[in-house]
Amino acid sequence: MKLLVLFCLAGLAAARPQADERSAQTVSMDNELREDQSYDFAFETSNGIIREESGISYPGAEPETGNYVQSGSFEIPHPDGTVTYLSFLSDENGYQPESDALPTFNGRVDIQDA
């Protein structure tokens, strides 16, 4: 019985994913926040994910008004060798992503009363 338990534990340990298969490590990271509250950051992970972003604040005429403009990108590699790339702009018009991976809408939506 003890031998059976030992073999089961050994099988579980062998089947468990290795740490590098389950998680990624940060291989590079840059982050800069300037006095005007604009910023840049970028990082890359050991599994090939790349992320970059920049932002700047535009103050409004009144306190607590204005807007923040952010832009950036993601690059995500997949096991089959393909890479998904997404860039975005976020400003007073909302979040505006662009990517071949995003579905496109070319039709019309009719909203009916329920």
Side-chain angles (χ1 to χ4, degrees), residues 10 13 16 20 22 30-31 33 48 51 58 79 82 84 93 99 105 112:
R16 188 182 80 179
D20 58 337
R22 294 183 296 173
D30 296 310
N31 190 9
L33 177 61
R51 171 85 165 89
Y58 294 102
T82 61
T84 297
N93 297 314
S99 174
F105 178 73
Q112 300 176 4

Side-chain angles (χ1 to χ4, degrees), residues 69-111:
V69 175
Q70 298 167 289
S71 62
S73 63
F74 298 85
E75 190 172 310
I76 304 169
H78 301 282
D80 66 359
T82 61
V83 176
T84 297
Y85 182 79
L86 181 137
S87 62
F88 69 89
L89 174 66
S90 182
D91 60 12
E92 67 274 4
N93 297 314
Y95 181 71
Q96 304 156 58
E98 291 186 13
S99 174
D100 290 341
L102 296 175
T104 57
F105 178 73
N106 297 321
R108 178 181 156 171
V109 174
D110 291 322
I111 300 175

Side-chain angles (χ1 to χ4, degrees), residues 32-88:
E32 181 180 355
L33 177 61
R34 291 177 281 283
E35 288 183 29
D36 64 356
Q37 298 305 301
S38 64
Y39 70 91
D40 295 301
F41 81 79
F43 68 83
E44 184 174 356
T45 62
S46 59
N47 61 357
I49 294 173
I50 299 172
R51 171 85 165 89
E52 299 176 344
E53 185 174 314
S54 297
I56 187 165
S57 176
Y58 294 102
E62 301 291 323
E64 303 298 319
T65 64
N67 67 338
Y68 215 88
V69 175
Q70 298 167 289
S71 62
S73 63
F74 298 85
E75 190 172 310
I76 304 169
H78 301 282
D80 66 359
T82 61
V83 176
T84 297
Y85 182 79
L86 181 137
S87 62
F88 69 89

